[in-house]
Amino acid sequence: MMANHRRVLVTGGAGFIGSHLVDTLLDRGFRVTVLDNLNTGVRANINAGADFIEGDVRNTDDIARAFDPSPDIVCHLAGQASIRLAWANPEADLNVNVVGTLNILSAAKKHRTPRLLYASSMMIYGDPTILPTPETAPALPVAHYGVTKFAAERYVALAAEDPEHPLAVTSFRMFNVFGPRQALDNPYQGVLAIFLGHALRGEKITIHSDGEQSRDFVFVDDICRAWADAIDTPVTFGRVFNLGSGRATTVNQLCDAVLRQFGQDRSTFEVTTAPAQLGDIRRSEAAIDAVAEALAWRPKVDLERGMAATVAWARASESQY
Ligand SMILES: NC(=O)c1ccc[n+]([C@@H]2O[C@H](COP(=O)([O-])OP(=O)(O)OC[C@H]3O[C@@H](n4cnc5c(N)ncnc54)[C@H](O)[C@@H]3O)[C@@H](O)[C@H]2O)c1
């Protein structure tokens, strides 16, 4: 570990992706403060080497506590991450994802924070017509969550235009991230976690639509490497990058791959179908040339290996599913 006295504020650092990023940053010698309201995040995820402020990005007093001492870098991952819950309560999604981001940006401005990275999403593309989808494809979200992630991403970009506050920003449009610490018992989570949870509990797997819709699954360690590498890489300043595996996997293929992890197949394990869900997108596949060039980044962990690690984690940690 290289000594590094800069402080990073990781909002959402008790959550799935944020907690892994905290681990990566501590490994690289940064000091880390976590701001999280423990809505979906859990205290046990937070590395003991990090300072923890229990607080809400909608509350400016909580944010003020997290900015004392002032961070050198903000990694803003706190968010309402469920597409389905955003349909059920768009106002809550708007408040956390957009107003929360504006609050963080205004604190960054007040404290003259020089660097900020933001957790955007592939959901901003809606149902893309270009596959694999490059960052230059139009943003036309088809679900509330995609609207709020895009609005926040644009607010982040606009904050970087403020002549009175030099702020270097980078947004990562992450595709379907998976790995240990992902909630496997939360029906509002992504499809891979839901399938793994069902298989672990021995419950039937339900495929919505015909199962030929595709997703791009990327392992959480690969994601954190890109975030951490970007912090000091000026070519990433002022830009947005896709972070995906660059490979499309259909939900049918995913189901079969999950069952393989348990030595099962559709003749031995019950798989049913149901209608498509609101705001479901048909196809998703990241073009990753931009991040490959800027950060010499390539995903290292494929779907099978990443799932094996996730299953091993779930089995080792009681009450995860
Ligand atoms: N998981 C993915 O595939 C994926 C893909 C693209 C983008 N993202 C984004 O990445 C970020 C992290 O997602 P995740 O999958 O780790 O989800 P997560 O739910 O595990 O993490 C979100 C964290 O934010 C915290 N949080 C929620 N509301 C808050 C609030 N008002 N104030 C403070 N903290 C709050 C939660 O407690 C949780 O710890 C989110 O912004 C999400 O939108 C996730």
Side-chain angles (χ1 to χ4, degrees):
M1 181 183 86
M2 293 270 291
N4 177 346
H5 296 298
R6 285 175 300 163
R7 181 171 288 277
V8 188
L9 170 62
V10 180
T11 72
F16 161 49
I17 303 172
S19 66
H20 285 280
L21 181 60
V22 168
D23 295 347
T24 303
L25 295 172
L26 288 168
D27 279 349
R28 294 191 184 197
F30 288 98
R31 297 176 186 181
V32 177
T33 303
V34 169
L35 172 66
D36 200 299
N37 71 350
L38 303 180
N39 177 31
T40 50
V42 287
R43 200 179 280 264
N45 281 348
I46 305 171
N47 192 304
D51 296 327
F52 175 46
I53 309 282
E54 185 171 346
D56 198 305
V57 292
R58 292 166 294 189
N59 180 320
T60 51
D61 291 339
D62 291 350
I63 293 178
R65 285 193 292 134
F67 273 75
D68 181 15
S70 278
D72 302 288
I73 299 140
V74 175
C75 292
H76 178 43
L77 295 96
Q80 192 299 112
S82 165
I83 297 163
R84 281 177 61 190
L85 286 180
W87 275 95
N89 191 348
E91 291 83 3
D93 181 62
L94 177 72
N95 275 325
V96 176
N97 288 354
V98 180
V99 178
T101 299
L102 280 170
N103 289 341
I104 292 290
L105 289 171
S106 101
K109 178 175 177 167
K110 184 173 169 198
H111 290 265
R112 304 197 68 74
T113 309
R115 183 81 175 106
L116 183 140
L117 298 90
Y118 173 65
S120 186
S121 164
M122 54 69 173
M123 285 298 289
I124 70 143
Y125 295 119
D127 241 324
T129 48
I130 313 165
L131 290 156
T133 308
E135 290 83 350
T136 49
L140 200 57
V142 295
H144 300 84
Y145 170 79
V147 174
T148 61
K149 295 307 280 189
F150 187 55
E153 185 195 289
R154 292 302 305 154
Y155 278 117
V156 167
L158 294 177
E161 300 292 311
D162 182 347
E164 288 168 18
H165 170 218
L167 174 66
V169 299
T170 303
S171 287
F172 288 113
R173 294 174 179 169
M174 299 185 283
F175 281 61
N176 280 60
V177 187
F178 73 102
R181 298 187 198 147
Q182 187 162 28
L184 301 178
D185 55 358
N186 179 349
Y188 302 110
Q189 275 286 357
V191 60
L192 186 148
I194 292 172
F195 283 8
L196 272 183
H198 282 302
L200 280 159
R201 294 188 296 270
E203 297 165 3
K204 70 176 182 207
I205 287 178
T206 302
I207 292 178
H208 289 272
S209 185
D210 62 359
E212 287 306 297
Q213 64 273 38
S214 62
R215 297 289 179 268
D216 179 326
F217 298 102
V218 56
F219 192 62
V220 67
D221 289 1
D222 286 325
I223 291 282
C224 294
R225 183 162 40 85
W227 277 73
D229 286 353
I231 287 175
D232 289 320
T233 306
V235 74
T236 67
F237 297 180
R239 292 178 64 189
V240 297
F241 294 97
N242 288 339
L243 275 184
S245 69
R247 300 184 67 158
T249 301
T250 68
V251 169
N252 281 323
Q253 290 168 335
L254 174 72
C255 174
D256 295 334
V258 166
L259 292 180
R260 269 199 303 281
Q261 292 287 331
F262 298 88
Q264 309 259 13
D265 60 32
R266 294 192 198 202
S267 68
T268 56
F269 199 95
E270 189 181 359
V271 177
T272 57
T273 55
Q277 302 192 91
L278 273 174
D280 243 3
I281 54 171
R282 191 69 191 158
R283 294 190 298 171
S284 178
E285 183 181 352
I288 52 174
D289 315 74
V291 67
E293 194 182 329
L295 292 174
W297 181 89
R298 284 273 159 209
K300 289 183 179 167
V301 181
D302 66 15
L303 185 62
E304 300 280 339
R305 201 150 67 83
M307 272 203 293
T310 311
V311 171
W313 159 79
R315 287 195 158 131
S317 40
E318 278 174 37
S319 76
Q320 290 303 333
Y321 56 88

